[in-house]
Amino acid sequence: MLGGCGIVPGVGSETTTVDIWLMKDSVSDEFLNRFTTAYEKDNPSVKLKFTFQEWTGIGKKVTAALESDKAPDVIEVGNTQVAQYAESDGLEDLTLESVRDLGADDWLPGLAEPGSIDGSQYGIPWYAANRVVIYNKDLFAAAGITEPPRTRARWLEDSERLNNGGVQGIYLSGQDWYSLAGFVWDEGGELAVEEGGDWRGTLDTPAALRGMAFYKELQSHGDGPKNADEETPPQARVFAKGDIAQIIAVPSAATLIEKSNPGLKGKLGFFPVPGKTAARPGAVFTGGSDLIVPDKAHERAAAIDVVTALAGPKWQTDLARTMHYVPNKPSLAGVLEGEESTAAMAAGAARGRATPNSPRWADVEADNPIKPYMTAVLQGQNPKRAARTACERITQALAPH
């Protein structure tokens, strides 16, 4: 029986308070009220206390909490942050619970892999979000394209076909490195690999270079800037002008697009980033959240039971439908039937990946060498040489210090 369906083992008649940190806006009051009411009804000796945290500065705050004697019992963290926190030896090893109660073999890899360190599961997948292709249905129809592409080759053909008559086939900025990562993974490459305990950048491998070559060809079917990322300027605002056929973005960007241009309401479509063959979508970076339990949690048993409930099928289904997230298991994707945008996201999430599982990957992103590498290639510099420079910087950033 999954946790959350009865009295928490070991909890007596006295009330136990489980202190839970969630990130601001990660869930709605509607969802949280439903979960709290149901959980406390099933576990009358447990009270749930939720505190919302800001993403800005959360790393230092969580690290400090893990070191203190007043740590919360459950913390929501970004999936790629788990390695950083696990390095502190301040997390509870949840391997036994994840295998026994949660069906870990069916988790989304982009959430599960970052939570697993040296064979131990410290982060329990909670929800995911990833990029899809948002497209203008009117522009597709005007170009005679009757259905979204399912292969990379067809995607390039359609983008070239769309890129005529004052229309951009696709708006892809030059430094959208998350999208590049998916193309690299599709080719069998990696951003960085670990060998003998040391990490090194691998953008200069033949596979990774093929991913960059595909990015360059796709980017050429539009007029995206070569020396800026997708937020400079915000690509949703650019797309809202109505003369761009496609962008690669999370589905929530559609809300911003329609707000900027109400005339596009009902005219936006969504499809997974195409793969090399029609058999499966392309690989994508999976963002989202895992749940961790500090080693110094005062209510360990109750905390694990709460995590088990939140990560189980009942509340995963509720969360996905309420928040339009991807649930933590591909087998639950059917709950999104009828929701085009989220279903497209879920299809991609099944092939999702996360950034290299190094506790120092945040140091790479702080002064991200992948961005100038991409610009250099798009501006005609030698790809191999530019990649080697980026690899050297990545390796330096990932080195112990």
Side-chain angles (χ1 to χ4, degrees):
M1 179 181 294
L2 284 173
C5 299
I7 302 299
V8 176
V11 176
S13 58
E14 294 184 2
T15 299
T16 297
T17 299
V18 181
D19 187 8
I20 304 163
W21 283 9
L22 298 182
M23 300 310 300
K24 183 180 178 182
D25 299 326
S26 64
V27 298
S28 65
D29 291 341
E30 174 190 2
F31 170 83
L32 207 57
N33 289 339
R34 274 198 306 273
F35 175 76
T36 302
T37 299
Y39 190 88
E40 291 182 351
K41 180 181 179 181
D42 289 340
N43 302 277
S45 60
V46 176
K47 295 296 180 185
L48 305 181
K49 176 188 175 184
F50 292 95
T51 304
F52 286 95
Q53 306 291 343
E54 299 281 350
W55 282 108
T56 302
I58 191 59
K60 291 182 178 179
K61 192 166 187 176
V62 171
T63 299
L66 295 177
E67 294 173 351
S68 77
D69 292 326
K70 296 182 179 180
D73 300 299
V74 178
I75 307 175
E76 173 193 353
V77 299
N79 59 321
T80 61
Q81 297 173 334
V82 179
Q84 171 188 345
Y85 302 136
E87 190 183 37
S88 71
D89 293 325
L91 300 187
E92 188 74 29
D93 185 346
L94 302 173
T95 306
L96 178 62
E97 288 80 7
S98 68
V99 172
R100 183 188 64 205
D101 297 331
L102 293 170
D105 57 343
D106 190 31
W107 279 338
L108 292 174
L111 293 181
E113 290 170 3
S116 178
I117 314 296
D118 296 329
S120 294
Q121 195 72 38
Y122 294 101
I124 302 299
W126 193 22
Y127 64 82
N130 51 267
R131 286 159 178 76
V132 300
V133 182
I134 302 177
Y135 71 101
N136 185 316
K137 292 180 178 179
D138 285 354
L139 297 183
F140 266 56
I145 300 172
T146 58
E147 62 180 12
R150 296 181 58 198
T151 67
R152 274 200 197 176
R154 180 62 183 272
W155 193 19
L156 289 173
E157 291 173 9
D158 287 350
S159 298
E160 183 177 14
R161 185 174 181 178
L162 287 157
N163 197 38
N164 292 302
V167 172
Q168 290 190 54
I170 187 168
Y171 181 90
L172 182 60
S173 66
Q175 297 180 348
D176 183 356
W177 71 276
Y178 283 120
S179 292
L180 171 65
F183 304 147
V184 168
W185 294 328
D186 256 358
E187 293 290 349
E190 300 289 346
L191 305 181
V193 298
E194 183 182 17
E195 295 177 346
D198 294 324
W199 285 86
R200 64 179 180 85
T202 52
L203 287 171
D204 58 347
T205 64
L209 289 168
R210 288 196 300 271
M212 184 65 227
F214 176 81
Y215 189 102
K216 182 176 182 179
E217 185 173 2
L218 182 65
Q219 206 260 354
S220 71
H221 298 309
D223 195 28
K226 292 179 171 58
N227 60 349
D229 63 22
E230 62 273 25
E231 293 301 320
T232 314
Q235 64 175 355
R237 193 172 65 200
V238 177
F239 183 90
K241 295 176 182 178
D243 59 353
I244 293 170
Q246 310 169 85
I247 57 171
I248 303 173
V250 291
S252 59
T255 302
L256 301 175
I257 292 167
E258 292 173 351
K259 184 177 180 181
S260 296
N261 184 355
L264 289 177
K265 192 171 183 63
K267 297 181 179 181
L268 302 180
F270 309 83
F271 59 89
V273 172
K276 297 188 74 173
T277 72
R280 58 183 186 176
V284 289
F285 168 75
T286 300
S289 287
D290 282 9
L291 299 171
I292 61 174
V293 175
D295 188 55
K296 294 183 179 181
H298 294 283
E299 305 295 344
R300 179 188 182 278
I304 292 174
D305 195 77
V306 170
V307 169
T308 302
L310 285 169
K314 176 182 178 180
W315 293 104
Q316 280 291 296
T317 297
D318 190 308
L319 184 66
R321 289 174 174 166
T322 302
M323 301 301 299
H324 306 288
Y325 291 144
V326 177
N328 62 10
K329 294 181 177 181
S331 60
L332 294 174
V335 305
L336 303 171
E337 186 176 353
E339 297 187 19
E340 181 187 1
S341 62
T342 319
M345 188 164 59
R351 295 209 61 226
R353 296 278 306 274
T355 50
N357 207 9
S358 163
R360 280 167 285 281
W361 184 257
D363 294 339
V364 175
E365 294 189 29
D367 187 26
N368 198 330
I370 304 175
K371 290 185 173 184
Y373 155 64
M374 296 172 70
T375 294
V377 175
L378 294 175
Q379 291 180 339
Q381 294 185 32
N382 182 282
K384 183 81 171 179
R385 189 177 302 121
R388 284 175 178 164
T389 299
C391 287
E392 291 172 0
R393 291 181 57 193
I394 291 172
T395 301
Q396 291 172 1
L398 296 178
H401 52 269

